[in-house]
Short mmCIF file of all heavy atoms in Angstrom, two decimals:
data_model
loop_
_atom_site.label_atom_id
_atom_site.label_comp_id
_atom_site.label_asym_id
_atom_site.label_seq_id
_atom_site.Cartn_x
_atom_site.Cartn_y
_atom_site.Cartn_z
N ARG A 968 -14.01 -118.29 27.85
CA ARG A 968 -14.57 -117.33 26.88
C ARG A 968 -16.00 -117.08 27.22
O ARG A 968 -16.82 -117.99 27.20
CB ARG A 968 -14.39 -117.85 25.47
CG ARG A 968 -15.03 -116.98 24.34
CD ARG A 968 -14.65 -115.56 24.40
NE ARG A 968 -14.76 -114.80 23.14
CZ ARG A 968 -15.87 -114.21 22.71
NH1 ARG A 968 -16.99 -114.25 23.42
NH2 ARG A 968 -15.87 -113.48 21.59
N GLN A 969 -16.32 -115.81 27.53
CA GLN A 969 -17.67 -115.45 27.86
C GLN A 969 -18.59 -115.55 26.63
O GLN A 969 -18.09 -115.37 25.45
CB GLN A 969 -17.71 -114.02 28.43
CG GLN A 969 -19.02 -113.52 28.90
CD GLN A 969 -19.57 -114.43 30.04
OE1 GLN A 969 -20.05 -115.56 29.75
NE2 GLN A 969 -19.43 -114.00 31.28
N ASP A 970 -19.83 -115.80 26.83
CA ASP A 970 -20.82 -115.81 25.75
C ASP A 970 -20.95 -114.41 25.15
O ASP A 970 -20.99 -113.41 25.88
CB ASP A 970 -22.17 -116.28 26.32
CG ASP A 970 -23.27 -116.14 25.33
OD1 ASP A 970 -23.25 -116.95 24.38
OD2 ASP A 970 -24.10 -115.22 25.44
N SER A 971 -21.03 -114.32 23.84
CA SER A 971 -21.02 -113.00 23.16
C SER A 971 -22.28 -112.21 23.41
O SER A 971 -22.24 -111.00 23.52
CB SER A 971 -20.81 -113.15 21.68
OG SER A 971 -19.49 -113.69 21.48
N ASN A 972 -23.43 -112.87 23.45
CA ASN A 972 -24.65 -112.14 23.81
C ASN A 972 -24.59 -111.56 25.22
O ASN A 972 -25.01 -110.46 25.49
CB ASN A 972 -25.92 -112.99 23.62
CG ASN A 972 -26.35 -113.09 22.19
OD1 ASN A 972 -26.12 -112.14 21.39
ND2 ASN A 972 -26.94 -114.19 21.80
N PHE A 973 -24.05 -112.36 26.10
CA PHE A 973 -23.93 -111.88 27.50
C PHE A 973 -22.99 -110.67 27.54
O PHE A 973 -23.24 -109.66 28.21
CB PHE A 973 -23.40 -113.03 28.42
CG PHE A 973 -23.50 -112.64 29.88
CD1 PHE A 973 -24.68 -112.78 30.61
CD2 PHE A 973 -22.38 -112.18 30.57
CE1 PHE A 973 -24.77 -112.42 31.92
CE2 PHE A 973 -22.46 -111.82 31.90
CZ PHE A 973 -23.67 -111.97 32.57
N LEU A 974 -21.89 -110.77 26.79
CA LEU A 974 -20.94 -109.65 26.74
C LEU A 974 -21.63 -108.43 26.12
O LEU A 974 -21.44 -107.32 26.58
CB LEU A 974 -19.75 -110.01 25.84
CG LEU A 974 -18.69 -110.92 26.46
CD1 LEU A 974 -17.68 -111.33 25.39
CD2 LEU A 974 -17.95 -110.22 27.60
N TYR A 975 -22.42 -108.62 25.10
CA TYR A 975 -23.05 -107.47 24.41
C TYR A 975 -24.03 -106.76 25.32
O TYR A 975 -24.05 -105.53 25.34
CB TYR A 975 -23.76 -108.00 23.14
CG TYR A 975 -24.21 -106.86 22.25
CD1 TYR A 975 -23.36 -106.22 21.38
CD2 TYR A 975 -25.55 -106.40 22.33
CE1 TYR A 975 -23.77 -105.14 20.58
CE2 TYR A 975 -25.93 -105.30 21.55
CZ TYR A 975 -25.07 -104.68 20.69
OH TYR A 975 -25.50 -103.64 19.92
N PHE A 976 -24.79 -107.52 26.08
CA PHE A 976 -25.84 -106.84 26.88
C PHE A 976 -25.44 -106.61 28.34
O PHE A 976 -26.12 -105.77 29.00
CB PHE A 976 -27.17 -107.64 26.81
CG PHE A 976 -27.78 -107.60 25.44
CD1 PHE A 976 -27.70 -108.70 24.58
CD2 PHE A 976 -28.46 -106.44 25.03
CE1 PHE A 976 -28.23 -108.63 23.30
CE2 PHE A 976 -29.01 -106.35 23.76
CZ PHE A 976 -28.91 -107.47 22.90
N PHE A 977 -24.38 -107.28 28.81
CA PHE A 977 -24.01 -107.09 30.20
C PHE A 977 -22.53 -106.73 30.42
O PHE A 977 -22.17 -106.21 31.40
CB PHE A 977 -24.39 -108.36 31.00
CG PHE A 977 -25.87 -108.64 31.00
CD1 PHE A 977 -26.46 -109.39 30.05
CD2 PHE A 977 -26.71 -108.02 31.96
CE1 PHE A 977 -27.80 -109.60 29.99
CE2 PHE A 977 -28.07 -108.21 31.94
CZ PHE A 977 -28.61 -109.03 30.95
N GLY A 978 -21.71 -107.11 29.42
CA GLY A 978 -20.28 -106.68 29.44
C GLY A 978 -19.40 -107.36 30.49
O GLY A 978 -18.22 -107.01 30.55
N LEU A 979 -19.94 -108.31 31.23
CA LEU A 979 -19.14 -108.90 32.31
C LEU A 979 -18.48 -110.19 31.89
O LEU A 979 -19.09 -111.00 31.21
CB LEU A 979 -20.06 -109.17 33.54
CG LEU A 979 -20.70 -107.89 34.12
CD1 LEU A 979 -21.83 -108.29 35.09
CD2 LEU A 979 -19.65 -107.06 34.87
N LYS A 980 -17.26 -110.38 32.39
CA LYS A 980 -16.48 -111.58 32.00
C LYS A 980 -16.65 -112.74 32.97
O LYS A 980 -16.10 -113.81 32.74
CB LYS A 980 -14.97 -111.21 31.95
CG LYS A 980 -14.56 -110.31 30.82
CD LYS A 980 -13.17 -109.83 31.09
CE LYS A 980 -12.66 -108.99 29.92
NZ LYS A 980 -11.91 -109.74 28.92
N THR A 981 -17.39 -112.57 34.03
CA THR A 981 -17.44 -113.57 35.09
C THR A 981 -18.23 -114.81 34.60
O THR A 981 -19.36 -114.64 34.10
CB THR A 981 -18.13 -113.00 36.34
OG1 THR A 981 -17.50 -111.74 36.63
CG2 THR A 981 -18.03 -113.91 37.49
N PRO A 982 -17.71 -116.03 34.85
CA PRO A 982 -18.43 -117.20 34.45
C PRO A 982 -19.64 -117.47 35.39
O PRO A 982 -19.66 -116.99 36.55
CB PRO A 982 -17.44 -118.35 34.65
CG PRO A 982 -16.16 -117.74 34.97
CD PRO A 982 -16.35 -116.32 35.37
N GLY A 983 -20.61 -118.21 34.91
CA GLY A 983 -21.68 -118.75 35.76
C GLY A 983 -22.78 -117.82 36.14
O GLY A 983 -23.70 -118.20 36.83
N MET A 984 -22.76 -116.59 35.66
CA MET A 984 -23.84 -115.61 36.01
C MET A 984 -25.00 -115.81 35.03
O MET A 984 -24.88 -116.60 34.07
CB MET A 984 -23.39 -114.19 35.81
CG MET A 984 -22.06 -113.86 36.46
SD MET A 984 -21.73 -112.08 36.23
CE MET A 984 -21.60 -111.60 37.95
N ALA A 985 -26.05 -115.08 35.25
CA ALA A 985 -27.15 -114.99 34.27
C ALA A 985 -27.74 -113.60 34.34
O ALA A 985 -27.90 -113.03 35.46
CB ALA A 985 -28.19 -116.04 34.52
N GLY A 986 -28.03 -113.04 33.19
CA GLY A 986 -28.72 -111.73 33.15
C GLY A 986 -30.15 -111.95 32.71
O GLY A 986 -30.44 -112.78 31.88
N VAL A 987 -31.05 -111.20 33.38
CA VAL A 987 -32.46 -111.32 32.99
C VAL A 987 -33.04 -109.93 32.71
O VAL A 987 -32.81 -108.98 33.48
CB VAL A 987 -33.25 -111.99 34.17
CG1 VAL A 987 -34.77 -111.93 33.86
CG2 VAL A 987 -32.84 -113.45 34.30
N ILE A 988 -33.73 -109.86 31.64
CA ILE A 988 -34.43 -108.60 31.29
C ILE A 988 -35.90 -108.90 31.40
O ILE A 988 -36.44 -109.78 30.69
CB ILE A 988 -34.02 -108.16 29.88
CG1 ILE A 988 -32.53 -107.84 29.82
CG2 ILE A 988 -34.85 -106.93 29.44
CD1 ILE A 988 -31.98 -107.55 28.47
N ASP A 989 -36.57 -108.22 32.34
CA ASP A 989 -38.00 -108.43 32.53
C ASP A 989 -38.73 -107.36 31.71
O ASP A 989 -38.75 -106.21 32.11
CB ASP A 989 -38.35 -108.32 34.03
CG ASP A 989 -39.76 -108.67 34.34
OD1 ASP A 989 -40.63 -108.46 33.45
OD2 ASP A 989 -40.02 -109.10 35.48
N VAL A 990 -39.30 -107.80 30.62
CA VAL A 990 -39.91 -106.85 29.69
C VAL A 990 -41.18 -106.29 30.35
O VAL A 990 -41.54 -105.11 30.19
CB VAL A 990 -40.26 -107.55 28.33
CG1 VAL A 990 -40.92 -106.59 27.41
CG2 VAL A 990 -39.00 -108.17 27.74
N ASP A 991 -41.93 -107.15 31.07
CA ASP A 991 -43.18 -106.75 31.65
C ASP A 991 -43.05 -105.69 32.73
O ASP A 991 -43.88 -104.76 32.79
CB ASP A 991 -43.94 -107.97 32.19
CG ASP A 991 -44.01 -109.08 31.16
OD1 ASP A 991 -44.13 -108.76 29.96
OD2 ASP A 991 -43.87 -110.27 31.50
N SER A 992 -41.98 -105.77 33.57
CA SER A 992 -41.87 -104.77 34.65
C SER A 992 -40.74 -103.75 34.29
O SER A 992 -40.47 -102.90 35.10
CB SER A 992 -41.53 -105.46 35.90
OG SER A 992 -40.20 -106.04 35.84
#
Side-chain angles (χ1 to χ4, degrees):
R968 173 52 156 88
Q969 186 58 284
D970 172 72
S971 294
N972 278 330
F973 191 81
L974 283 172
Y975 189 82
F976 290 103
F977 299 89
L979 298 167
K980 289 168 176 267
T981 312
M984 310 183 121
V987 170
I988 298 174
D989 186 333
V990 180
D991 308 325
S992 68

